[in-house]
Amino acid sequence: MNSEVSNYWFPAKRYGWGWGLPRRWQGWVVLIVYFALVGAATFSLPQQLQFMISVAVLTILLVAVCWLKGEPPRWRWGDAGAKR
């Protein structure tokens, strides 16, 4: 395994575009903080519009962290040529 790849917080998904579950503890902290803030918004924001905007902003921030600290995103078709 390449040391550069192992330093990524979020590995690329095997199929499709995007990232999978975190590989490093820093990624888990980011994911837990994201869900904690979404949960806090659920109970603290009285209006639906405020809630939707806050969740949208939090999700954009999560994607930005994944983009910066994860494997470069691209479409993946799985391990078609890999040995199993």
Side-chain angles (χ1 to χ4, degrees), residues 8-10 17-19 30 59-74:
Y8 289 129
W9 294 3
F10 299 93
W17 190 92
W19 303 274
V30 168
T59 301
I60 289 168
L61 291 174
L62 177 63
V63 170
V65 170
C66 289
W67 195 286
L68 293 172
K69 294 297 189 176
E71 286 186 65
R74 64 179 172 88

Side-chain angles (χ1 to χ4, degrees), residues 6-7 9-10 13 21 25-27 32 44 50 55-57 71 75 78 80 82:
S6 65
N7 287 332
W9 294 3
F10 299 93
K13 290 171 42 177
L21 290 175
W25 68 267
Q26 296 95 331
I32 289 168
S44 66
Q50 292 174 336
V55 170
V57 168
E71 286 186 65
W75 189 264

Side-chain angles (χ1 to χ4, degrees), residues 23-81:
R23 176 182 290 146
R24 302 189 43 97
W25 68 267
Q26 296 95 331
W28 284 107
V29 169
V30 168
L31 202 59
I32 289 168
V33 168
Y34 170 79
F35 283 118
L37 290 173
V38 169
T42 300
F43 297 109
S44 66
L45 295 176
Q47 294 182 353
Q48 185 177 6
L49 182 60
Q50 292 174 336
F51 171 75
M52 289 172 48
I53 291 171
S54 67
V55 170
V57 168
L58 290 171
T59 301
I60 289 168
L61 291 174
L62 177 63
V63 170
V65 170
C66 289
W67 195 286
L68 293 172
K69 294 297 189 176
E71 286 186 65
R74 64 179 172 88
W75 189 264
R76 297 174 193 271
W77 295 99
D79 293 335

